Amino acid sequence: MGAHRLLLCLVTCMQVLVGTVAAGPRPPAMYVFGSSIVDVGNNNYLPGAAVGRANRPFNGIDFQGSIPTGRFSNGYNTADYVAKNMGFVYSPPAYLSLVPSSLSGPLVFTALSSGVNYASGGAGILNSTNAGNTIPLSKQLQNFGATRAKMVAAVGAVAVDNQLSRSIFLVNIGNNDFYVFAAAERTRNRSDEDQRRDAVALYANLISNYSASITEMYSMGARKFAIINVWQLGCVPAMRALTPTGACSDLLNELAAGFNDSVQSLLASLAGKLPGLVYSLADFYSFTHDVLANPGASGFTDIAHACCGGRCTTNSTLCVDRDRHVFWDGVHPSQRTAFLAAQAFYDGAAKYTTPINFKKLAQSS
Ligand SMILES: *[C@@H]1O[C@H](CO)[C@@H](O)[C@H](O)[C@H]1NC(C)=O
Ligand SMILES: *[C@@H]1O[C@H](CO)[C@@H](O)[C@H](O)[C@H]1NC(C)=O
Ligand SMILES: *[C@@H]1O[C@H](CO)[C@@H](O)[C@H](O)[C@H]1NC(C)=O
Ligand SMILES: *[C@@H]1O[C@H](CO)[C@@H](O)[C@H](O)[C@H]1NC(C)=O
Ligand SMILES: CC(=O)N[C@H]1CO[C@H](CO)[C@@H](O)[C@@H]1O
């Protein structure tokens, strides 16, 4: 009885809150899906020694209070800055920080008032990517579906559909599918030519599963998609370390670019098929290309080394100026890079978003 009352109160108070906020420019909520680039702590709750977690220093050294939250960053990450640009405080909280709970109140309240972040470090579009040590995109969608059912139980389907149709669905995924693919190809000693051939099958699986996932989100009420493509995967420190001279892997960059082209076609095609779907596709690839080609313009002095080492721990030797490093660790952007990328996607140069920027997406009715 007490719990039920509390839930009712939370829901009522929240409706007041949402009603008030809806008058402003901020979308009602944001739901985040993807990999470690946008994870804000889900992996802290996954069991097993092989799970990648950013729950210890020096991760979080520039976060408020210098606490490691599970973000793979010295501070805030790309989801935080996208959210902040759209009028939220930072990214909504990690789903697994809201469940399990004997009360569905905290999850429902958060889902209705600001949104939830389902992203997980190591996650792929494919279930097989880092299987067992991450929450794959398919499972992230199931977690969203479970959230949605609780929202509907609390405030009814009409209110939930109304809210979801005006909320932002931020997705950044695909990087890990390529890292896993590249590692397998290396193990098999495949030539560049063979890898290009193998990638054709990978693209087909990725795009069909990505298409199914976006369509599934749509069927659950999502309408506004902010999709971030994969960045220059071949230039992250962990991939540079595998080339004889420490240069970028041109092949991996080529494969990433090819995937991005397919994602662009996919979204255009889905928008033609699914009434009311609007999207902004952010070109993280060309953003990183431009930053790495002219780092000084963005205030960077190091584009090749991880500020906190390949795997960031308390034993790492930190770089001197974290804001001057593009990369925080072997595969993640520094806080500064995340900040600049989110700005570019929100209302930066037109070339970084197709067909509209995140600002127009957030403010579209
Ligand atoms: C992926 O895993 C989900 C469960 O998380 C399952 O429902 C789905 O069928 C799987 N998809 C494929 C293509 O294996
Ligand atoms: C990998 O392939 C190259 C060229 O095809 C060959 O020279 C090399 O010996 C192979 N390495 C291994 C470990 O099989
Ligand atoms: C998804 O990828 C798997 C391979 O991982 C493949 O078997 C499946 O056909 C793909 N497509 C869909 C729609 O699930
Ligand atoms: C740091 O180094 C110490 C001493 O070599 C080692 O015992 C400890 O496990 C290391 N910690 C981490 C997080 O790697
Ligand atoms: C290098 C390259 O082809 N990049 C493409 C990746 O996909 C985006 C669409 O999001 C294209 O605009 C880029 O040209």
PDB file of all heavy atoms in Angstrom, residues 126 205 208-209, ligand 3:
ATOM      1  N   LEU A 126      25.506  -6.775 -33.397  1.00  0.00           N
ATOM      2  CA  LEU A 126      25.341  -8.229 -33.424  1.00  0.00           C
ATOM      3  C   LEU A 126      25.418  -8.802 -32.006  1.00  0.00           C
ATOM      4  O   LEU A 126      26.264  -8.392 -31.203  1.00  0.00           O
ATOM      5  CB  LEU A 126      26.435  -8.870 -34.283  1.00  0.00           C
ATOM      6  CG  LEU A 126      26.492  -8.416 -35.748  1.00  0.00           C
ATOM      7  CD1 LEU A 126      27.612  -9.153 -36.481  1.00  0.00           C
ATOM      8  CD2 LEU A 126      25.148  -8.634 -36.444  1.00  0.00           C
ATOM      9  N   ASN A 205      24.936  -8.349 -42.453  1.00  0.00           N
ATOM     10  CA  ASN A 205      24.413  -8.704 -41.133  1.00  0.00           C
ATOM     11  C   ASN A 205      24.185  -7.464 -40.281  1.00  0.00           C
ATOM     12  O   ASN A 205      23.174  -7.349 -39.585  1.00  0.00           O
ATOM     13  CB  ASN A 205      25.389  -9.627 -40.393  1.00  0.00           C
ATOM     14  CG  ASN A 205      25.245 -11.070 -40.844  1.00  0.00           C
ATOM     15  OD1 ASN A 205      24.212 -11.451 -41.395  1.00  0.00           O
ATOM     16  ND2 ASN A 205      26.274 -11.866 -40.604  1.00  0.00           N
ATOM     17  N   SER A 208      21.126  -5.411 -41.640  1.00  0.00           N
ATOM     18  CA  SER A 208      19.809  -6.039 -41.431  1.00  0.00           C
ATOM     19  C   SER A 208      19.443  -6.025 -39.953  1.00  0.00           C
ATOM     20  O   SER A 208      18.299  -5.774 -39.588  1.00  0.00           O
ATOM     21  CB  SER A 208      19.757  -7.447 -42.021  1.00  0.00           C
ATOM     22  OG  SER A 208      20.522  -8.331 -41.246  1.00  0.00           O
ATOM     23  N   ASN A 209      20.421  -6.245 -39.092  1.00  0.00           N
ATOM     24  CA  ASN A 209      20.122  -6.207 -37.655  1.00  0.00           C
ATOM     25  C   ASN A 209      19.874  -4.771 -37.175  1.00  0.00           C
ATOM     26  O   ASN A 209      19.011  -4.539 -36.320  1.00  0.00           O
ATOM     27  CB  ASN A 209      21.264  -6.838 -36.845  1.00  0.00           C
ATOM     28  CG  ASN A 209      21.205  -8.365 -36.869  1.00  0.00           C
ATOM     29  OD1 ASN A 209      20.477  -8.969 -36.103  1.00  0.00           O
ATOM     30  ND2 ASN A 209      21.971  -8.974 -37.757  1.00  0.00           N
TER      31      ASN A 209
HETATM   32  C1  LIG B   3      21.601 -10.455 -37.813  1.00  0.00           C
HETATM   33  O1  LIG B   3      22.895 -11.019 -37.751  1.00  0.00           O
HETATM   34  C2  LIG B   3      22.916 -12.425 -37.665  1.00  0.00           C
HETATM   35  C3  LIG B   3      24.354 -12.878 -37.600  1.00  0.00           C
HETATM   36  O2  LIG B   3      24.960 -12.384 -36.457  1.00  0.00           O
HETATM   37  C4  LIG B   3      22.211 -13.051 -38.833  1.00  0.00           C
HETATM   38  O3  LIG B   3      22.135 -14.443 -38.630  1.00  0.00           O
HETATM   39  C5  LIG B   3      20.816 -12.457 -39.007  1.00  0.00           C
HETATM   40  O4  LIG B   3      20.242 -12.940 -40.161  1.00  0.00           O
HETATM   41  C6  LIG B   3      20.932 -10.943 -39.071  1.00  0.00           C
HETATM   42  N1  LIG B   3      19.683 -10.280 -39.408  1.00  0.00           N
HETATM   43  C7  LIG B   3      18.610 -10.150 -38.611  1.00  0.00           C
HETATM   44  C8  LIG B   3      17.457  -9.390 -39.161  1.00  0.00           C
HETATM   45  O5  LIG B   3      18.534 -10.614 -37.498  1.00  0.00           O
END
